[in-house]
Amino acid sequence: MEMLFAERGVAANTALAYRSDLSDFAGYLRRRDIAAAETVDLRRYLTALTAAGMSEKTSARRLSTLRQFYRFMHAEGLRADDPSAGIDMPKQGRSLPKVISESEIDLLLEMARTETGPQGRRLVCLLEIAYASGLRVSELVGLPLSAVARGQSVLTVKGKGGKERIVPLTRAAVAAIADYREQRACFLNDGQESPYLFPSKSTAGHLTRRRLGQLLKELAARCGMDPAKVSPHVLRHAFASHLLDNGADLRSVQEMLGHSDISTTQIYTHVLGERLRAIVETHHPLAGGDA
C-alpha cells in the first residue's frame, strides 16, 4: 500500500479498492498466508467468485489487484516466483455507459430550481457543474474553493494520479456557483473555515459521494424518473455523450474527462452510434422493409 501511494500516486479511493480486494482474497484463504499463495489458490478463488455470481468485470479487477501484489513481491525479492503470471484475465464484454437525455437533464435542473434556500442552491450548483464539466464524483464533491475563481469560466481540477487539468464551465454553471456562494456559509458552523467549495460536517470535511448520490436519486424521484437511472457517474456520461452528439471532437472530450487513454473515451462513440442506428431504423423510408 505504501508503494501504491509513494511510487504510483494512486488516488485514495483506488488504494481502498486494492486493500478491499486483497482482504477478500485473504479471507478466502482463511488462516493461510496470502504471501505464500500458489497459482492453484488463485484459480480456485476466481472459480469461487464466478460460482458466487460475481461479474467478469469484478473478477478481472480482483485478479489485476492480485497480479500487482505478486509482481511487487517478486520484484522486491520476497518471492521467487509470481503465482499470477500464468492466469489469463477473465474475458469481459464492454458495457455501454448509462446515459440520460438532454430533456431529462433539463427536467432535473428545473425541479432543482424549485427548491428554495441553501439546499436548493447547492443542488443546482452541483448539477450545473457536473453537467458542464463531466467531473468524476470524487473531483466534484472535493472541489477546493480555490479551484473556482470568482467570475472565471474555468475549473482547475486535480484528477487521478494528481494530474491537473483545466475544464471550461458554461455561463449557467458560473451563475449557479455565484448564487450558491452567497449561501455556502450556511453549511459551516459559526466562525468555521473550510477549503472546500461544498463543505459539510462529514469526516472528510466536504459533501460525501454517498450524500450526493442520495440527493440526485431523491431529485429524480420528484421528477417522476426512475432513481436508478440517475447518479453522479450518469451525469458524467451525459456530459460526454451530449458533447459528442452535438459535434465535439473526441480528443477534446478526452482532455475534459481526464482520460489518460483515448480508448476509454471511445466508448461514448458507441453510445452515439447506437442512437444514430435507432434514428435510421425509426425514420429511414426503407427501414423494416425488404430492400
Side-chain angles (χ1 to χ4, degrees):
M1 299 304 295
E2 290 175 358
M3 179 275 292
L4 290 175
F5 278 117
E7 297 181 19
R8 300 195 183 174
V10 302
N13 288 330
T14 303
L16 285 173
Y18 275 100
R19 184 185 295 276
S20 175
D21 291 344
L22 292 172
S23 295
D24 188 79
F25 182 53
Y28 170 78
L29 293 175
R30 298 190 179 177
R31 296 185 179 180
R32 286 178 291 158
D33 184 5
I34 186 174
E38 300 296 335
T39 300
V40 65
D41 296 315
L42 273 68
R43 291 189 189 280
R44 288 173 178 167
Y45 174 62
L46 292 173
T47 299
L49 292 181
T50 301
M54 194 73 68
S55 70
E56 291 178 343
K57 183 177 181 179
T58 301
S59 294
R61 191 200 74 205
R62 291 192 177 177
L63 176 57
S64 177
T65 297
L66 292 171
R67 277 181 167 175
Q68 294 200 53
F69 176 70
Y70 289 113
R71 283 174 185 168
F72 168 77
M73 295 197 67
H74 182 53
E76 293 291 311
L78 300 172
R79 277 191 70 126
D81 65 335
D82 175 2
S84 69
I87 301 178
D88 294 329
M89 190 67 74
K91 293 181 180 179
Q92 307 176 63
R94 198 169 193 184
S95 59
L96 294 179
K98 296 178 181 177
V99 177
I100 56 178
S101 67
E102 292 179 43
S103 61
E104 287 174 315
I105 289 287
D106 289 339
L107 181 60
L108 289 169
L109 281 166
E110 287 174 14
M111 182 60 71
R113 292 189 185 106
T114 64
E115 293 191 32
T116 58
Q119 297 285 348
R121 292 190 185 187
R122 183 179 68 173
L123 184 56
V124 171
C125 185
L126 286 162
L127 279 169
E128 289 285 8
I129 292 177
Y131 187 55
S133 65
L135 296 186
R136 298 177 178 93
V137 60
S138 56
E139 295 169 345
L140 177 58
V141 296
L143 266 178
L145 193 58
S146 59
V148 192
R150 287 185 182 273
Q152 286 199 5
S153 57
V154 295
L155 279 177
T156 304
V157 182
K158 186 170 287 187
K160 284 188 175 181
K163 295 179 182 177
E164 196 170 272
R165 68 186 190 276
I166 303 297
V167 180
L169 289 172
T170 61
R171 281 192 287 269
V174 173
I177 292 169
D179 192 38
Y180 159 71
R181 274 181 182 270
E182 297 178 0
Q183 300 292 323
R184 177 177 171 273
C186 296
F187 299 97
L188 295 166
N189 294 322
D190 291 340
Q192 182 185 359
E193 297 290 335
S194 171
Y196 299 108
L197 178 61
F198 300 108
S200 83
K201 298 174 183 177
S202 68
T203 304
H206 57 69
L207 185 71
T208 64
R209 297 155 54 108
R210 181 177 180 182
R211 181 58 184 149
L212 176 55
Q214 290 173 340
L215 290 172
L216 292 177
K217 292 188 184 302
E218 290 168 3
L219 179 63
R222 290 198 297 274
C223 291
M225 296 170 59
D226 180 359
K229 286 182 62 178
V230 182
S231 71
H233 209 57
V234 167
L235 294 180
R236 177 170 162 86
H237 291 325
F239 161 82
S241 299
H242 296 172
L243 274 180
L244 291 170
D245 201 6
N246 285 281
D249 67 276
L250 196 64
R251 185 67 69 180
S252 297
V253 175
Q254 175 196 0
E255 291 178 5
M256 286 186 281
L257 289 173
H259 287 161
S260 57
D261 190 338
I262 199 168
S263 65
T264 308
T265 318
Q266 284 173 333
I267 187 65
Y268 296 103
T269 64
H270 298 300
V271 175
L272 178 58
E274 286 292 309
R275 194 188 71 82
L276 293 176
R277 180 182 61 77
I279 289 174
V280 170
E281 289 182 351
T282 303
H283 300 289
H284 195 283
L286 297 180
D290 294 328

